[in-house]
Every structure is written in C-alpha cells, then in structure tokens.
Amino acid sequence: MTEQSNTLRWGILGAARMTEVMLPAILEAENAELVAIASRRPQAASELLQKCGVDQSKVTCYDNPRQLLADESVQAVYLPMANEEHAQWALQAIEHGKHVLCEKPMALRVADIKAIQAAAAQYQVTVMEGFMYRLHPQHARVREIIDSGDLGPIRTVRSCFSFMMTPARTYRISRNIDQGGGAMWDIGCYAIHTCRMFFEQLPLSVIASYKTIDCGADVTNTGILDYGDGCYAHFDFSFERARRAEYEIIGTRGGLKCHNVWSKPNETPVISWWTEGGEQQLEQLPKSNHFRLEIEHFSNCVLQQQAPLLSINDALENCQIIVAALDSAKQGRSIAISEIN
C-alpha cells in the first residue's frame, strides 16, 4: 500500500489545543509517522512543533490546510478544528483521498454525517470519530465483568462529566449551541457516548433539561435516555460543578463504577464493583495512554484494511441522540429518536 507498509503517514489539520495532546501521540505510536501540520494562523504550525520539541526538518508546515490536503505524502489526517468546521473539512479531506480521524463531534447535523458516510464509501477511506477513551483497556475490563454475568442484565447506566470553567477555556462557551458552542458539543457528547456502550440499540426517546447563558451556549445539561422495558441511561454534565468523569452501571444482581472514564496517561484507572451476593471488588488497572492507543488503532485499521472500533454509523447515532436531547431541552418535552433524521 505504501513505501512503509507498517507505517501510516499523518497530517494534522490545525494547531488547536487538542493538537498539543494528539501530536505527541502520533510521534509515540509504533505504526504512525507525522509528516505535515497545517494552521490558518501564520507560523502557528511551526511554533507548535517547536513547543513539542519536534525536529522540524522532518515535518512540513503549511499556513493553509488545503495545502496539506493536496500533499500526496499525507495518507491520514487528524482533524481538531472547531466543532462547527468538522464536517466541511472532513469532506474535503475524504475527497482528497485521505483517511480521517475526526475529533468529536464528527458533525452538528445528522445530514452531514450521512454525507461523510457516503463520501467515505465513494472514496474508499476510513473515517472514525475521535472518542479516544474507548481505546483505554479499563473499558475492556468492564466489559469482561459484564459478560461474566455477575452483575446480571444491565438495567441502568449513569454517566457524569463536569469541571469548573476557567478563563482559558471560555472559548468553549463563546457561541450558541447551533454554532457548536456549549457543554453538549464539548463534553456532553462524551457522556452520551459512554451511556451507549452498555446498550446495544438506540434509545426510544430522550428527555433533557439545560441551563444556557446569554450567547445561547449551554453550561449544564442533564437527561434520561429511555431504552424501553424499564432500562434507562442518565447523563449529566456541566461547566459549573467540581470535576467528575465517571459512569455507573446497575444490573439485576450487582453494580459497577468506573471512577475516571477519561483517565490521563499518568493516572491510575480505578473500577469498583459489587454483587448482591456480598462480593466487593476494587481494581487498580495499569496506566495507559488512550491517545496513543487511538492513533495506533486507527493506523492499524487503515494499514490492515480493517473496520475501526467506532463506525461512522456510531457517530450518526450519537448525533441523533444529541440533537434529540437538545430539542427536548428547548421544547420541554420528550423527543422520540425516530423524529431525528
């Protein structure tokens, strides 16, 4: 497929804050090579390379993202631009034959994800939404416990993600929800995506409520996904509460808690679980860099022509639920997921 069949050549479309995290992950990945980075701010790309201690003689810097897309040495791109720009740049990258790892959310509209899905099929490229946490081994361990049957069938899932907004992060709430601002598109997509790990089908409906500020961005949001037959998922996230990044699962015979869903590479993951039979367990798992694991997984999928862990259809379903939740909060009523297309 390439001159180096065991290595995927990457470009980064933007010098956003997330790039400072993902750039080292590409450098550390065993099957990836960073060959280009672009930013619309003059010199921003080269300044970021310098900040990260990267040998600039090995990475081409562009002041125009379209130049990077035209670079034939780039096989895959990581896309960390503003939420509302993801769809248009993902489509441009696909049309240039690039594989795309798109930072969440893939798009703000279901129709845009359908367009990305169609384009990816047409140009035969791999596209995945960047929910890096799913590659962390702690969630595979959670799945092992569930599959053991010790907790019984899952009836309820609760996810919570919050932290106090700081001045350095106010760009997240500088524009309204329709323009990609606010908590839902920033951290809520994680909370909803996490709930969905433990139910195999789409929920039937969602009811949600939020607090918004003057510009129309939401800063706190909570809601319930109804999966039918008494199965529910509760999501709760906020920029106005102390830090929480956890989920809890309750089955018919026990429960489990993941204490830090988005564990940083230097943090020790902890899960605890119990059964009605009296068993109590607390497990500390090995530290792991889910950013590097995401890059390695995506690179391997492209190089081996395998389907990624997260399909475009997964992104589409997450977007459906998000849009339904926002509609519910706006209208003050339960919204059926089937209403969103």
Side-chain angles (χ1 to χ4, degrees), residues 25 135-137 288-298:
L135 278 301
H136 198 291
S288 189
N289 185 340
H290 48 201
F291 298 106
R292 177 179 59 80
L293 292 175
E294 180 183 46
I295 294 297
E296 289 180 345
H297 170 75
F298 188 88

Side-chain angles (χ1 to χ4, degrees), residues 314-335:
D314 178 79
L316 190 150
E317 291 182 352
N318 213 57
C319 188
Q320 281 182 287
I321 297 171
I322 289 172
V323 172
L326 291 173
D327 284 353
S328 173
K330 185 183 297 184
Q331 299 178 35
R333 67 178 181 92
S334 175
I335 298 290

Side-chain angles (χ1 to χ4, degrees), residues 2-286:
T2 69
E3 297 166 359
Q4 294 177 293
S5 60
N6 62 341
T7 303
L8 188 68
R9 298 191 299 269
W10 285 80
I12 300 177
L13 281 179
R17 187 171 179 271
M18 271 302 298
T19 302
E20 295 184 27
V21 175
M22 295 300 290
L23 190 153
I26 296 173
L27 297 177
E28 294 169 12
E30 294 181 357
N31 55 359
E33 178 187 3
L34 180 65
V35 298
I37 181 171
S39 176
R40 288 166 293 192
R41 289 178 288 121
Q43 302 303 313
S46 59
E47 289 171 2
L48 180 59
L49 292 179
Q50 184 176 9
K51 182 178 180 179
C52 294
V54 178
D55 183 350
Q56 297 190 45
S57 67
K58 298 181 178 180
V59 181
T60 303
C61 293
Y62 295 107
D63 288 334
N64 186 331
R66 290 184 175 84
Q67 292 176 314
L68 186 148
L69 295 182
D71 186 337
E72 294 184 358
S73 71
V74 175
Q75 297 170 297
V77 297
Y78 167 63
L79 174 51
M81 291 177 170
N83 295 337
E84 62 273 21
E85 296 182 294
H86 289 174
Q88 67 184 82
W89 283 101
L91 284 169
Q92 288 186 55
I94 291 168
E95 290 167 0
H96 279 80
K98 312 300 185 187
H99 305 280
V100 181
L101 175 60
C102 181
E103 193 52 59
K104 56 76 194 168
M106 184 174 288
L108 307 185
R109 301 190 313 143
V110 171
D112 289 336
I113 298 181
K114 289 181 178 179
I116 290 171
Q117 191 170 41
Q122 178 183 350
Y123 289 91
Q124 298 184 328
V125 297
T126 301
V127 178
M128 188 175 87
E129 191 170 24
F131 283 111
M132 78 297 174
Y133 80 96
R134 284 296 305 272
L135 278 301
H136 198 291
Q138 67 174 330
H139 307 297
R141 174 58 185 144
V142 170
R143 176 54 62 184
E144 285 180 358
I145 296 170
I146 293 172
D147 290 346
S148 74
D150 289 344
L151 308 184
I154 303 305
R155 308 300 292 173
T156 299
V157 176
R158 177 186 64 84
S159 69
C160 180
F161 193 12
S162 64
F163 54 82
M164 289 297 297
M165 177 62 66
T166 62
R169 292 181 169 183
T170 53
Y171 66 88
R172 301 170 185 248
I173 53 173
S174 62
R175 56 208 188 281
N176 66 38
I177 294 170
D178 293 339
Q179 295 175 319
M184 176 62 89
W185 294 118
D186 194 302
I187 58 178
C189 50
Y190 279 118
I192 287 173
H193 198 261
T194 302
C195 289
R196 295 179 49 239
M197 272 200 291
F198 307 105
F199 293 109
E200 295 181 357
Q201 71 278 0
L202 272 171
L204 302 176
S205 62
V206 59
I207 186 164
S209 180
Y210 58 26
K211 173 187 174 182
T212 59
I213 57 177
D214 289 345
C215 72
D218 63 316
V219 291
T220 294
N221 200 314
T222 189
I224 297 173
L225 305 176
D226 183 354
Y227 281 88
D229 193 31
C231 295
Y232 300 95
H234 175 210
F235 58 86
D236 185 79
F237 51 92
S238 177
F239 289 145
E240 297 186 320
R241 297 176 189 156
R243 179 169 176 79
R244 277 290 180 272
E246 60 188 31
Y247 63 72
E248 186 176 30
I249 304 164
I250 306 296
T252 58
R253 294 193 291 273
L256 179 149
K257 182 175 181 179
C258 177
H259 294 256
N260 190 353
V261 181
W262 301 277
S263 293
K264 297 178 181 178
N266 62 345
E267 295 175 338
T268 299
V270 176
I271 61 173
S272 57
W273 53 281
W274 55 272
T275 68
E276 287 201 327
E279 187 172 5
Q280 298 275 349
Q281 297 285 344
L282 187 146
E283 300 184 19
Q284 291 189 344
L285 303 173

